[in-house]
Amino acid sequence: RTAGAPDAMGASRKLQDEIDRVLKKVQEGVDVFDSIWNKVYDTENANQKEKFEADLKKEIKKLQRYRDQIKTWIQSSEIKDKKALMDARKQIEREMERFKVCEKETKTKAFSKEGLGQQPKTDPREKAKAETRDWLNSVVSDLENQIDNFEAELEGLSFKKGKQRPPRLVHLEKSITRHKAHIKKLESILRLLDNDELSPEQVNDVKDFLEDYVERNQ
């Protein structure tokens, strides 16, 4: 073994760990997508359906980001065995096709109702609620993306046992914990909003604070 081999091994092991992490996230994402997909088709309630469709869109966007990363790895000469990556890519693309079908059906239904003059007039309260729900979902999505980035950076940081932990590592761990706490709160707010226990106006009161928080945590 040459003197440079251990470093190369270390680099490739680090890359393999990162690939394993993303493949695990893809599998989790596909499972979540499947369970939301079933909810979309099981519910008769139009508002619930709309909410689940928004969740589905959020999940597919996440999977598409993983697909971009996987495509980069597939093209890399560093990685010899690409079967698991190819399979994951196919899996994501299958879900993307299913999402397109769902989106098309939604648009077709809305269009046919409009064509028949049956489109119900949107209740301003419902419209405000839907807008607030979409905004809350987008904040949750932004925070989840930041957590993914923090975790990826965290895996790249190393320190020797018994030595002081690097400040960046401590900062990232605190940020992840804080983000997760905020996501939990936001999910509670979403439930309260859906159950009419909170009004869109009440939720909008914290809009500036939350947008500032997401922005500053980049």
Side-chain angles (χ1 to χ4, degrees):
R1 189 180 282 180
T2 61
D7 281 347
M9 282 291 289
S12 63
R13 188 173 296 121
K14 190 174 161 187
L15 177 63
Q16 191 53 53
D17 288 346
E18 180 61 11
I19 290 171
D20 290 344
R21 187 182 77 83
V22 168
L23 290 177
K24 185 169 177 259
K25 293 264 186 195
V26 167
Q27 199 44 63
E28 287 167 4
V30 167
D31 291 343
V32 171
F33 183 92
D34 284 345
S35 82
I36 300 170
W37 171 272
N38 291 332
K39 287 176 188 170
V40 169
Y41 287 97
D42 284 347
T43 184
E44 293 299 320
N45 180 317
N47 287 340
Q48 283 285 355
K49 206 180 210 45
E50 203 177 297
K51 179 193 173 297
F52 292 140
E53 280 165 1
D55 291 345
L56 210 56
K57 190 171 193 170
K58 194 176 84 176
E59 211 51 50
I60 204 71
K61 278 196 167 12
K62 219 185 284 180
L63 285 170
Q64 280 171 313
R65 277 194 297 275
Y66 292 136
R67 175 174 166 259
D68 292 340
Q69 176 60 72
I70 286 167
K71 276 160 80 176
T72 310
W73 283 331
I74 288 172
Q75 286 158 6
S76 164
S77 56
E78 257 188 277
I79 300 154
K80 299 289 172 270
D81 182 8
K82 297 178 181 176
K83 187 181 179 312
L85 290 169
M86 307 277 268
D87 289 347
R89 180 182 167 177
K90 275 185 207 149
Q91 216 175 359
I92 294 170
E93 284 167 357
R94 231 181 356 254
E95 300 298 34
M96 283 163 67
E97 283 307 313
R98 287 172 77 197
F99 178 72
K100 270 188 211 160
V101 170
C102 176
E103 211 172 24
K104 198 173 170 189
E105 280 178 12
T106 307
K107 281 179 185 159
T108 309
K109 273 180 197 160
F111 183 72
S112 64
K113 274 186 181 175
E114 232 167 272
L116 297 166
Q118 293 174 346
Q119 187 72 357
K121 283 194 170 62
T122 311
D123 172 7
R125 299 277 315 150
E126 282 305 320
K127 189 169 182 282
K129 200 163 138 181
E131 282 168 4
T132 303
R133 185 193 296 119
D134 287 348
W135 173 75
L136 283 167
N137 276 323
S138 77
V139 174
V140 170
S141 182
D142 287 344
L143 290 177
E144 284 174 340
N145 291 339
Q146 285 186 19
I147 288 176
D148 283 345
N149 294 336
F150 293 161
E151 284 176 343
E153 191 184 335
L154 208 52
E155 282 174 18
L157 293 173
S158 58
F159 69 100
K160 289 191 170 66
K161 262 197 171 140
K163 295 274 180 197
Q164 196 180 353
R165 288 144 64 81
R168 181 66 184 158
L169 185 136
V170 175
H171 172 73
L172 286 169
E173 285 178 341
K174 279 183 181 165
S175 294
I176 290 169
T177 306
R178 197 168 52 235
H179 271 32
K180 285 181 175 173
H182 278 306
I183 288 171
K184 251 192 167 141
K185 283 269 196 294
L186 287 164
E187 285 169 346
S188 300
I189 290 172
L190 270 161
R191 278 194 298 276
L192 293 169
L193 181 73
D194 280 331
N195 297 333
D196 293 321
E197 290 174 49
L198 266 182
S199 71
E201 294 75 26
Q202 285 173 299
V203 179
N204 293 342
D205 281 347
V206 294
K207 205 166 185 175
D208 289 346
F209 157 74
L210 274 166
E211 283 175 350
D212 181 52
Y213 176 76
V214 172
E215 197 61 40
R216 278 187 303 113
N217 273 279
Q218 298 289 8

